[in-house]
Amino acid sequence: MTSAAATEPSFDLDPTLPPSDYDILIVEDTASMRTIYEAHMRRAGYRTLATGTAGEALELFRAHRVSVVLLDLMLPDRDGLDLLIDLLDVRPSTSVVVVAAERSTERTVSAIRRGALDYLVKPVSETRLMEAVEAAQRAANLAHPPHSKQARTPVGDFVGHSAPMLEVYETIRACARSMAPVCIIGENGTGKEMAAQAIHRLSDRAQGPFITLDCGALTSDRFETEVFGHRRGAFAGAVNDRLGAAELADGGTLFLDEICDLPLALQTKLLRFLQTGQVHPLGAEAARRVNLRILAATSIAPEEAMRRGQLRSDLYYRLMVVPLRMPPLCNRPEDIPLLADTFLHRFSALEGRGLNTIAPETMARLKAHNWPGNVRELANVVRAATVLHEGDMVLPDMLPKALQDIPSAAPVTENRPDFESMTLAELERAAIEAALGRHDGAVQRAAADLGVAPSTLYRKLDTWRQD
């Protein structure tokens, strides 16, 4: 084996790279663990490279095409999260599986946000390790570089190109390939179930079922049947076998809607299922294991629900591996014209009406409304106009009375910092925070605005959190 350091980052189609003669790069500083991982991989037929340092890992990665990296976070010469960023800067379509000595929600979220496909905690069984590597290999075969035009394209049935929605699309694409649980957080009407469906459709489980379980509707006497099912004769009235949501979702995705509305007593039962992956229907002789992806959603802040005792802390940490926050419509007003036009054409066709244009003064009122019901409320307003009115243009008097009476928006004043009194470090921080604010916290786009590498911003943010 030979290795040669490259002076510039190389991407997958760079013709100067040698052929793909390795499948997996193992980065693990403990020699015994490195040997064990290599043995597992080679038994499965994978061709491996292995190293114990971040420096050599980056050198090997630049010199050889590998599709999967198994990355330990605790390395002697560098933090594994920083190496993760550099690896994906060099070749964005690589699948990275992170291995850590302990489970840390903050580290897990950081790893997934920075592009890791999966997060494993030592000791890792051979079965779990190989499942993660096989999923990573499949994802690598299907991957598209995240910096392509596709990154700005809406996913699923979403409409909009605002910065908050681009962040949503980016997160959905990043986590769809993973088995990590995703918790979708947002007000009613922001599209939480649409986000869950988009994740499912972009995953390698797209051909499997997508099953929704309404946690707010579950009661103690119905929980076992609704979630796990029952066999005929299990209780009076059980005249037929019935599959529960967990069995129906086998091979696909189980979407736990409004997880914070599930009674605490039932959260314990749900947590036990999530930990074991086993289903034991009422009246069945034995339990059976199911293979499914868990997605959850809540319309209230899960952190607040946990503090109030509404959500168990262990269930919170089980589900909040990848948080996906859906922006309310008032935080993305630039999407309102496109959404309104989309709904108008959709509902006009559905209702057989001739309305096809929204008058400028009508659009101004739509943009000035704060939309407490979010996208769902906007859709209802547009549909009501198409049902109740004739003509070819939506005029202001076709809107509900509350929107007709919206006053003119007050001029926006901007509080500018006093640059003359700030130090260089304070100016730098102000510039970074302003860029992050413009892009709703999206580090990649903020870094592009500032002309620096994303890894630079991540290091700055980590430093400030420690202050």
Side-chain angles (χ1 to χ4, degrees), residues 68-290:
V68 176
V69 177
L70 187 65
L71 175 62
D72 184 17
L73 289 187
M74 296 297 292
L75 298 173
D77 55 338
R78 198 173 177 204
D79 186 282
L81 287 180
D82 290 339
L83 177 59
L84 168 63
I85 295 169
D86 284 350
L87 292 174
L88 294 180
D89 277 348
V90 172
R91 209 168 302 136
S93 60
T94 306
S95 295
V96 181
V97 177
V98 163
V99 183
E102 60 182 6
R103 181 171 296 281
S104 162
T105 300
E106 182 179 351
R107 296 278 278 178
T108 304
V109 171
S110 293
I112 297 295
R113 280 181 173 171
R114 297 180 191 196
L117 183 66
D118 208 342
Y119 189 102
L120 309 179
V121 180
K122 298 178 181 178
V124 186
S125 69
E126 181 178 358
T127 299
R128 178 70 180 93
L129 178 67
M130 297 315 300
E131 285 177 352
V133 168
E134 287 164 9
Q137 190 70 55
R138 289 195 300 271
N141 291 339
L142 297 172
H144 295 283
H147 303 301
S148 66
K149 292 181 180 179
Q150 184 191 39
R152 301 185 62 83
T153 305
V155 296
D157 296 324
F158 284 109
V159 173
H161 294 90
S162 62
M165 289 309 295
L166 291 179
E167 179 76 5
V168 169
Y169 306 152
E170 182 180 311
T171 303
I172 287 174
R173 287 193 173 95
C175 71
R177 304 179 301 159
S178 172
M179 277 294 290
V182 179
C183 188
I184 306 167
I185 306 155
E187 299 173 6
N188 289 330
T190 52
K192 296 187 294 295
E193 185 163 0
M194 283 175 58
Q197 291 171 341
I199 293 171
H200 173 73
R201 291 172 191 164
L202 290 175
S203 73
D204 58 5
R205 296 171 171 267
Q207 301 306 312
F210 177 89
I211 303 297
T212 298
L213 185 63
D214 183 1
C215 294
L218 293 176
T219 58
S220 298
D221 58 335
R222 298 292 298 168
F223 180 84
E224 298 286 345
T225 290
E226 293 294 331
V227 180
F228 306 128
H230 63 247
R231 299 295 180 257
R232 190 175 72 171
F235 52 85
V239 296
N240 295 302
D241 289 351
R242 175 174 175 173
L243 296 179
E247 283 189 290
L248 290 171
D250 194 12
T253 301
L254 178 61
F255 176 51
L256 306 174
D257 197 14
E258 295 300 342
I259 187 65
C260 292
D261 290 346
L262 186 66
L264 284 173
L266 302 183
Q267 289 182 26
T268 304
K269 296 182 178 181
L270 177 63
L271 180 64
R272 189 176 303 118
F273 160 64
L274 297 179
Q275 290 171 334
T276 64
Q278 292 188 334
V279 173
H280 195 162
L282 292 172
E285 293 184 0
R288 63 176 290 257
R289 179 174 290 277
V290 291

